Amino acid sequence: MAPTKVLTGARVVLPTGTVDDGRVIVDGARIAAAVPGGAENTETLDASGHWLVPGFVDLHNHGGGGASFTSGTADDVLRGIRTHRLHGTTTLVASTVTGDTDFLARRAGLLAELAEQGEIAGIHFEGPFISPCRKGAHSEELLRDPDPAEVRKLLDAARGHARMVTLATELPGGLDSVRLLAEHGVIAAVGHTDATYEQTVQAIEAGATVATHLFNAMPPLGHRAPGPITALLEDERVTVELINDGTHLHPAALRLAFHHAGAARVAFITDAMDAAGFGDGRYMLGPLEVEVADGVARLVEGGSIAGSTLTLDRAFRRAVTVDGLPVEDAVAALSANPARLLGMDDRIGSLEPGKDADLVVLDADFALKGVMRRGEWVVDPQLGRSVP
């Protein structure tokens, strides 16, 4: 039997608050309430001076480590997943970018296999049902209106593993597609949209519950035309995604979102593309060429921001050290809230007995030192390196 692991002395962030000099006990792949019998078979890690937080949950991620989730082999996808695990993301939803519907359906089949193996938590289709007015880094000639029949085709191809679809809900078929997604238990996300305030309210009433990277790829907030941002922030049923990399959002915009939505309705995402954890250079995002310079990804043609190179450990550290968020609010945005949105909060998202032993060890300056997934070290804090 694998030894019970006991992590002691850390500041442990629990759903009820932060406990100083706390202790987390891991028995196999789960968090245990107490050391079970046979305490002599115990590995103890003194984590004094460190933080213990739940493993991060990324709702919106296109790749990393030089690998794209929209293209390449299953091994390529696994390399991208591994890259993000090394940065604390123990649960990841694989996002695709706009493509031909038949291609996306085939891609969904490959990703569904990885979901069935437990490597990813599901699939997020970002495009092709988005507005050409707010297309961002999506190929305009491949965009189409959100026909419910085409949406259903993607859901069927995903074999029950579709988690979220981003839509411009103001387009023809948008509201019917939202209703279809809601009926099938799939998150309808408002994004890459040119919707008005009133149209966004209609989408929420139809069942939309997420704002895809709030502020980005949507009309700005105006005092006479409040647009989708206001509607998404003010409705208690909506969770808002934020890309906290210092490029996509000004700190004041992030504070505005937290002030109006509250810490329980924010989910930090990476929106990462394959350059995350890999470096500057030229990459392909779907059919579009991207130049990454100084960690910022932009389309070669037109210069639009093209996803990010963010990892969630950096988003966490920035939230606390730059944005001034309480650690507990950052944990909610990185773990508890996305876990709840995915319907997985009975297993992940917090350090509680019976849940998966997914956790991250951070030093006093919030730099990542260790990552555990399902009771096994991905990054061993004692060795100071990743575990093969």
Side-chain angles (χ1 to χ4, degrees), residues 137-200:
H138 291 257
S139 177
E140 184 167 352
E141 59 266 24
L142 294 174
L143 301 182
R144 55 184 49 78
D145 291 339
D147 179 353
E150 289 197 55
V151 174
R152 180 61 187 267
K153 179 178 179 178
L154 295 182
L155 299 190
D156 290 344
R159 304 199 299 269
H161 297 289
R163 290 287 191 174
M164 183 162 64
V165 178
T166 294
L167 305 148
T169 54
E170 74 279 9
L171 295 175
L175 294 180
D176 286 340
S177 294
V178 169
R179 296 185 187 101
L180 171 72
L181 293 168
E183 288 169 4
H184 285 80
V186 178
I187 297 164
V190 177
H192 289 276
T193 177
D194 206 38
T196 63
Y197 172 86
E198 292 77 12
Q199 289 170 325
T200 307

Side-chain angles (χ1 to χ4, degrees), residues 73-379:
T73 65
D75 285 342
D76 293 331
V77 175
L78 289 170
R79 185 170 76 252
I81 295 166
R82 172 76 175 176
T83 296
H84 286 281
R85 284 184 189 162
L86 294 174
H87 292 275
T89 297
T90 51
T91 302
L92 179 150
V93 175
S95 302
T96 61
V97 296
T98 290
D100 176 83
T101 307
D102 289 337
F103 169 80
L104 290 174
R106 291 193 299 274
R107 197 67 195 166
L110 181 147
L111 294 173
E113 290 182 13
L114 295 175
E116 288 157 5
Q117 295 166 17
E119 298 291 348
I120 60 174
I123 306 164
H124 164 217
F125 296 101
E126 186 180 25
F129 311 115
I130 61 176
S131 172
C133 302
R134 304 285 174 176
K135 63 182 184 296
H138 291 257
S139 177
E140 184 167 352
E141 59 266 24
L142 294 174
L143 301 182
R144 55 184 49 78
D145 291 339
D147 179 353
E150 289 197 55
V151 174
R152 180 61 187 267
K153 179 178 179 178
L154 295 182
L155 299 190
D156 290 344
R159 304 199 299 269
H161 297 289
R163 290 287 191 174
M164 183 162 64
V165 178
T166 294
L167 305 148
T169 54
E170 74 279 9
L171 295 175
L175 294 180
D176 286 340
S177 294
V178 169
R179 296 185 187 101
L180 171 72
L181 293 168
E183 288 169 4
H184 285 80
V186 178
I187 297 164
V190 177
H192 289 276
T193 177
D194 206 38
T196 63
Y197 172 86
E198 292 77 12
Q199 289 170 325
T200 307
V201 169
Q202 285 183 313
I204 297 168
E205 291 298 329
T209 57
V210 165
T212 292
H213 42 53
L214 188 74
F215 299 108
N216 298 114
M218 59 182 62
L221 191 154
H223 64 291
R224 292 192 182 92
I229 293 171
T230 303
L232 295 163
L233 282 176
E234 71 182 6
D235 197 297
E236 295 294 325
R237 294 169 289 185
V238 176
T239 298
V240 297
E241 295 181 347
L242 299 177
I243 308 172
N244 193 26
D245 61 354
T247 298
H248 282 80
L249 294 176
H250 190 283
L254 181 138
R255 291 193 296 270
L256 178 74
F258 268 88
H259 177 75
H260 287 280
R265 289 178 45 220
V266 173
F268 283 144
I269 61 164
T270 60
D271 193 19
M273 45 88 71
D274 38 348
F278 202 66
D280 291 354
R282 289 214 170 185
Y283 299 84
M284 298 302 296
L285 187 60
L288 304 178
E289 191 171 16
V290 175
E291 177 78 30
V292 178
D294 298 324
V296 178
R298 293 185 180 275
L299 290 181
V300 171
E301 185 176 342
S304 293
I305 294 176
S308 84
T309 61
L310 186 63
T311 52
L312 283 183
D313 59 329
R314 287 169 44 209
F316 188 108
R317 192 176 192 184
R318 180 179 177 85
V320 176
T321 63
V322 176
D323 302 313
L325 292 182
V327 172
E328 294 81 4
D329 288 357
V331 167
L334 284 155
S335 303
N337 298 343
R340 183 176 62 251
L341 192 66
L342 291 172
M344 299 177 68
D345 51 326
D346 60 332
R347 288 180 43 209
I348 61 171
S350 59
L351 301 178
E352 294 181 271
K355 292 193 176 183
D356 289 354
D358 294 351
L359 58 85
V360 175
V361 183
L362 304 168
D363 68 15
D365 296 320
F366 302 99
L368 184 143
K369 294 299 178 182
V371 180
M372 178 183 288
R373 182 175 186 267
R374 299 180 184 175
E376 299 293 335
W377 289 114
V378 179
V379 177

